[in-house]
Amino acid sequence: MGGDDFFFMGAALEEAEKAYRLGEVPVGAVLLAPDGLVLARAHNMPISSKDCTAHAEVVAMRKACAAQANYRLSGTIMYVTLEPCAMCVGAMLHARVSRLVFGAFDPRGGAAGSVVDLTAVARFNHRIEVAGGVMAEKCAGILQSFFRARRA
């Protein structure tokens, strides 16, 4: 993990804070181009968009694909504050995202190592390099705060 991982995870946390303020589960994502430029930033928005697939990662990939006029995102790096679910890892595999950096582990639904690891299935034709636990305490903290407030 380099300094860039912490910098861009900080940007993903800014997106998670936006989701928090909107009453969405506070997950944020930043997608980098191979040259290191930000292609897209996004946060969870399934409630406000009335779209069950509007997870931060998927929204970021949709924005990036539209901006590049291409459905492939080869060479990109996805930063996300929570370990992605199976849907999001599946979308990253189809898009050919090269690297995934996530913050908090998700022991109930994580598909990048916690529950299952879809990033390295030998029979798939693409694999994703993974770095988990980057700024994990901060990433988990915003989620814990959100759910604590919802239960109160």
Side-chain angles (χ1 to χ4, degrees), residues 27-31 42-44 53-63 73 78-85 87-89 91-92 100:
V27 176
V30 174
L31 186 63
H43 55 271
N44 267 6
T53 68
H55 291 192
E57 304 94 309
V58 171
V59 174
M61 286 186 286
R62 285 178 182 156
K63 287 179 178 181
L73 297 169
M78 175 70 75
Y79 289 88
V80 62
T81 57
L82 179 64
E83 180 182 359
C85 69
M87 174 186 71
C88 292
V89 172
M92 284 183 239
L100 165 65

Side-chain angles (χ1 to χ4, degrees), residues 39-113:
L39 286 174
R41 296 171 60 121
H43 55 271
N44 267 6
M45 49 191 304
I47 298 167
S48 58
S49 68
K50 297 170 183 55
D51 177 358
C52 61
T53 68
H55 291 192
E57 304 94 309
V58 171
V59 174
M61 286 186 286
R62 285 178 182 156
K63 287 179 178 181
C65 287
Q68 295 193 127
N70 191 344
Y71 72 105
R72 294 284 195 225
L73 297 169
S74 300
T76 59
I77 302 172
M78 175 70 75
Y79 289 88
V80 62
T81 57
L82 179 64
E83 180 182 359
C85 69
M87 174 186 71
C88 292
V89 172
M92 284 183 239
L93 287 165
H94 284 285
R96 304 296 192 265
V97 169
S98 294
R99 185 167 182 251
L100 165 65
V101 181
F102 68 85
F105 287 86
D106 184 356
R108 297 176 72 177

Side-chain angles (χ1 to χ4, degrees), residues 92-144:
M92 284 183 239
L93 287 165
H94 284 285
R96 304 296 192 265
V97 169
S98 294
R99 185 167 182 251
L100 165 65
V101 181
F102 68 85
F105 287 86
D106 184 356
R108 297 176 72 177
S114 288
V115 174
V116 66
D117 189 356
L118 298 178
T119 66
V121 175
R123 295 190 63 153
F124 289 167
N125 63 347
H126 181 70
R127 284 174 229 10
I128 301 171
E129 177 188 335
V130 178
V134 176
M135 298 175 66
E137 286 184 28
K138 282 189 177 186
C139 293
I142 191 170
L143 287 159
Q144 291 164 347

